[in-house]
Amino acid sequence: MATDPAAAGSQAGPAALTPISADATPANLPPADGGDPARLTGEAVYERLRQMIVRLDLVPGAVIDRAALQARFGVSSTPLRDALLRLAREGLVDIVPQSATRVSLIDLAAVRQAQVLRRAVEQEAVRLLAGAAERDFVPELQLALAAQLDRAEAGDVAGFAALDDAFHRRLLVLAGAPDLFDVVRRHSGQIDRIRQLQRPVAGRMREVVRDHGRILKSIAAGNPDKAQARMRDHLTGALAPVHTLQAEHPQYFRG
């Protein structure tokens, strides 16, 4: 019998349905219009570099070797420069003229501001979903939870992170607010790095699946108040150990 994600979360739906893919990122999808992939080079560089930062392949404070990245991505200096400028606007990169470009340190003030935005947007989204007249999307989200649990039990931090992000994006899409995911994402790089620091902690990924299961259970039951409260608890819990993380990794945080 399949593991029940609602005890961690929620039961998987029919096997014929396909869960959200861990590889479904803009960096490795083909062009939406079927055109020349080179047209998306700049966007792909931004997405891959951002992923390297938020997944801590490039740790806070690391010097960014532009020449090495150009060689790795097979691009000229222009798309890389443009990607770095976008990441600087998101607070993920510090560009100092005539000096080194570095991955920014985690800024707790920016974390708190991003958390206010996420809570406002995502709590309202699940409230709308729980109050919807039709909730035929629930089996799809149950499959997403089953996929998350599978990656958590496999200890696949990168795969789990992709599915975690995809789940939150899907909630906003289903709530009729797909563009808001990108708004939240632009302000959430600092939070994303804290989430990534937590994921390898024993049991943390299963806790996230459990939280997602509780949110989905409240949506499926048509209980907007409880769905909103469950999302609030989930997002608040993501920052609960931040001071412990800061003590363990002081070199990653802005003093």
Side-chain angles (χ1 to χ4, degrees):
M1 181 179 294
T3 306
D4 181 1
S10 194
Q11 177 156 358
L17 295 176
T18 303
I20 301 168
S21 169
D23 295 326
T25 65
N28 52 32
L29 289 175
D33 60 2
D36 182 355
R39 292 173 55 197
L40 292 187
T41 295
E43 184 69 17
V45 169
Y46 160 76
E47 288 291 345
R48 289 171 183 168
L49 188 51
R50 187 184 191 281
Q51 185 177 73
M52 291 169 69
I53 292 171
V54 300
R55 303 287 166 81
L56 302 180
D57 296 320
L58 289 171
V59 299
V63 174
I64 294 176
D65 185 333
R66 296 193 185 208
L69 288 175
Q70 284 177 230
R72 176 172 181 169
F73 297 146
V75 298
S76 67
S77 62
T78 299
L80 181 60
R81 181 198 63 211
D82 292 346
L84 289 171
L85 288 172
R86 287 179 67 181
L87 292 166
R89 289 194 292 270
E90 293 182 22
L92 292 175
V93 167
D94 294 328
I95 300 175
V96 181
Q98 311 304 318
S99 183
T101 297
R102 295 179 181 272
V103 178
S104 70
L105 298 178
I106 297 172
D107 185 335
L108 291 183
V111 167
R112 286 189 286 270
Q113 288 191 68
Q115 184 75 327
V116 170
L117 177 61
R118 280 198 73 187
R119 285 176 60 171
V121 171
E122 297 196 41
Q123 286 177 215
E124 181 62 20
V126 296
R127 185 174 189 86
L128 289 171
L129 293 177
E134 299 291 337
R135 293 184 292 280
D136 53 2
F137 51 79
V138 168
E140 172 195 347
L141 294 178
Q142 289 173 331
L143 278 176
L145 283 181
Q148 291 170 36
L149 183 58
D150 177 72
R151 292 301 84 209
E153 292 182 337
D156 179 3
V157 175
F160 181 85
L163 293 172
D164 187 3
D165 288 345
F167 181 79
H168 284 270
R169 179 191 291 269
R170 190 61 180 154
L171 291 176
L172 293 180
V173 170
L174 291 169
D179 293 345
L180 290 183
F181 181 85
D182 291 329
V183 173
V184 171
R185 185 174 185 255
R186 285 197 298 272
H187 293 84
S188 295
Q190 308 289 354
I191 290 178
D192 290 341
R193 293 192 288 176
I194 288 175
R195 291 163 67 201
Q196 185 68 9
L197 280 172
Q198 292 182 63
R199 285 180 178 124
V201 174
R204 176 55 190 163
M205 290 188 288
R206 285 187 63 92
E207 289 176 4
V208 172
V209 178
R210 179 205 63 197
D211 286 355
H212 289 172
R214 289 172 174 173
I215 292 165
L216 181 54
K217 183 177 180 180
S218 300
I219 291 171
N223 190 328
D225 289 342
K226 183 165 281 190
Q228 189 174 40
R230 291 299 195 188
M231 179 59 81
R232 181 186 63 243
D233 292 345
H234 172 54
L235 295 178
T236 300
L239 296 189
V242 68
H243 294 297
T244 299
L245 294 172
Q246 189 176 20
E248 293 173 350
H249 307 281
Q251 72 277 20
Y252 291 168
F253 290 80
R254 198 177 300 279

